[in-house]
Amino acid sequence: MKNVSGSKKGRPGAVRAGRKGNKQVGSGGQGAQALEGRKPTPKAEDRPYHPAGKRKAAKDRFEAAKGRHGSSSSSQGRTGRPPARKTDDSELVTGRNSVLEALRTKTPSTTLYIASRIEVDDRVKEILTLANHRSVPIIELMRPELDRITGHDSVHQGVALKVPAYEYAVSEDIVEQAFSRDQVPLLVALDGITDPRNLGAIIRSTAAFGGHGVIVPQRRSVGVTASAWKTSAGAAARTPVAMAPNLTQTLKSLKSMGLFVLGLDGDGDVELDGLALADRPIVIVVGSEGKGLSRLVTETCDAIVSIPISSATESLNAGIAASVTLWEVARRRRAE
């Protein structure tokens, strides 16, 4: 008996499977079947891959975080984040002379550390007296512990003083103060000096020869650290140090106030013993021992001064060069 469809009996796929609703074969029926189950297009904010959806998700997370931490301590802030920790920018002044000078000049101090079984001399007695008079806490430590907190390469001589971060002055204010006292300003500026011992030595020489202050650049330069404090032998407590955001611009500002800018360089056009500007307001600029003065600073200087030295020595240390120049300026000012 033949099949109604005309195909052989049992042939796979010969008979089309029935559809619900007796849909007709054709493109229209197939298209309707493909659209089954589709829903309206969701809003942009409901699509997680869309920028609007990402913003909404971030907002939801933020609101959830506020809800979790809103009942916590008020010191954590409205977003639930703990307050930022304050960094300790304090410095340790080490050495008996440096500590004594800092206490004599009433430098703000928070703690005095004394090594146990320290050999008490006149300086230590005065240090303890001044600390007690100013109510500075005194802590006695074993020497290994004092070595640890001051650095094993530090020669603390059994005493260390914890002081707040150094407060820098303003260059123009130093000059104004000198003028207000009817004094001829004398400052030293550092250009590219990174050794704190050089800075300490220059601060000490500036104080010794009647200088009014020292200027250090904000970048690529050493600041007033504990090592500089110690090398200055306490002079950092008496001599203001200013920080210049831009050394060239600061020098130009001082020139507008009537100061002459003298740069030190071995190939200077004026020798120190022939300097005729010693009685004028002066800024002495000292460069690094290796690179010397930078180009912009050199162009800003009114004169480049060289120190006559024997041919056996190629150059002088920055601290020594500043000291020699300061001494010559002070000598000429006394003579006049």
Side-chain angles (χ1 to χ4, degrees):
M1 182 175 179
K2 292 184 179 179
N3 195 308
V4 178
S5 62
S7 61
K8 294 181 180 180
K9 185 178 180 180
R11 180 182 173 186
V15 180
R16 186 179 297 276
R19 294 186 178 88
K20 295 181 180 180
N22 296 323
K23 296 180 180 179
Q24 298 297 322
V25 177
S27 61
Q30 293 175 355
Q33 181 184 14
L35 293 175
E36 289 182 358
R38 289 293 182 93
K39 298 180 181 179
T41 303
K43 297 179 180 180
E45 63 181 12
D46 294 332
R47 285 177 272 174
Y49 55 84
H50 195 278
K54 295 178 181 179
R55 287 195 296 268
K56 183 176 181 295
K59 182 179 179 181
D60 292 342
R61 289 196 302 270
F62 177 73
E63 295 295 336
K66 284 205 302 184
R68 287 195 302 270
H69 300 287
S71 59
S72 61
S73 173
S74 60
S75 64
Q76 292 183 345
R78 301 181 67 180
T79 63
R81 296 180 181 179
R85 294 180 59 186
K86 294 183 179 180
T87 57
D88 187 5
D89 293 330
S90 59
E91 287 278 352
L92 282 176
V93 179
T94 59
R96 301 187 183 189
N97 289 335
S98 300
V99 170
L100 180 57
E101 190 63 30
L103 290 172
R104 282 176 177 173
T105 55
K106 299 182 180 180
T107 300
S109 309
T110 56
T111 309
L112 173 65
Y113 298 101
I114 295 286
S116 59
R117 299 180 183 179
I118 186 175
E119 181 181 352
V120 179
D121 57 8
D122 292 339
R123 291 174 297 175
V124 174
K125 290 180 181 178
E126 187 174 356
I127 287 172
L128 293 173
T129 300
L130 292 173
N132 284 317
H133 181 70
R134 295 179 50 195
S135 299
V136 178
I138 301 175
I139 298 179
E140 185 176 354
L141 299 175
M142 299 297 291
R143 281 192 174 270
E145 179 64 13
L146 190 57
D147 292 340
R148 186 187 67 80
I149 66 173
T150 59
H152 293 283
D153 57 344
S154 173
V155 183
H156 51 71
Q157 297 176 309
V159 292
L161 184 67
K162 190 174 184 180
V163 299
Y166 186 83
E167 293 185 7
Y168 292 92
V170 179
S171 306
E172 291 79 1
D173 291 345
I174 299 175
V175 175
E176 290 290 353
Q177 291 174 5
F179 280 135
S180 66
R181 299 169 186 166
D182 293 328
Q183 298 175 348
V184 182
L186 175 59
L187 289 82
V188 179
L190 279 59
D191 183 18
I193 293 179
T194 57
D195 189 345
R197 292 170 297 182
N198 272 332
L199 173 59
I202 291 172
I203 294 174
R204 187 174 184 178
S205 298
T206 302
F209 297 115
H212 296 92
V214 176
I215 304 172
V216 296
Q218 186 173 357
R219 296 180 299 171
R220 296 186 293 274
S221 177
V222 65
V224 182
T225 62
S227 179
W229 262 92
K230 183 175 178 61
T231 309
S232 73
R238 306 188 307 273
T239 305
V241 178
M243 179 167 284
N246 185 297
L247 181 58
T248 302
Q249 295 301 321
T250 298
L251 294 176
K252 290 180 179 179
S253 175
L254 296 180
K255 289 176 69 173
S256 68
M257 299 177 69
L259 276 69
F260 290 87
V261 180
L262 306 179
L264 297 184
D265 190 271
D267 297 326
D269 48 10
V270 178
E271 289 192 350
L272 181 59
D273 52 5
L275 183 64
L277 299 173
D279 60 334
R280 311 289 180 87
I282 291 175
V283 183
I284 301 169
V285 187
V286 185
S288 63
E289 187 173 350
K291 298 181 180 179
L293 300 174
S294 62
R295 179 181 60 84
L296 292 177
V297 169
T298 301
E299 295 175 355
T300 308
C301 292
D302 295 302
I304 304 298
V305 182
S306 61
I307 301 175
I309 56 177
S310 65
S311 58
T313 305
E314 294 183 357
S315 63
L316 295 176
N317 173 272
I320 296 175
S323 298
V324 172
T325 306
L326 285 166
W327 175 83
E328 178 64 16
V329 171
R331 184 189 69 82
R332 286 176 174 268
R333 288 185 175 186
R334 287 195 305 269
E336 296 177 0

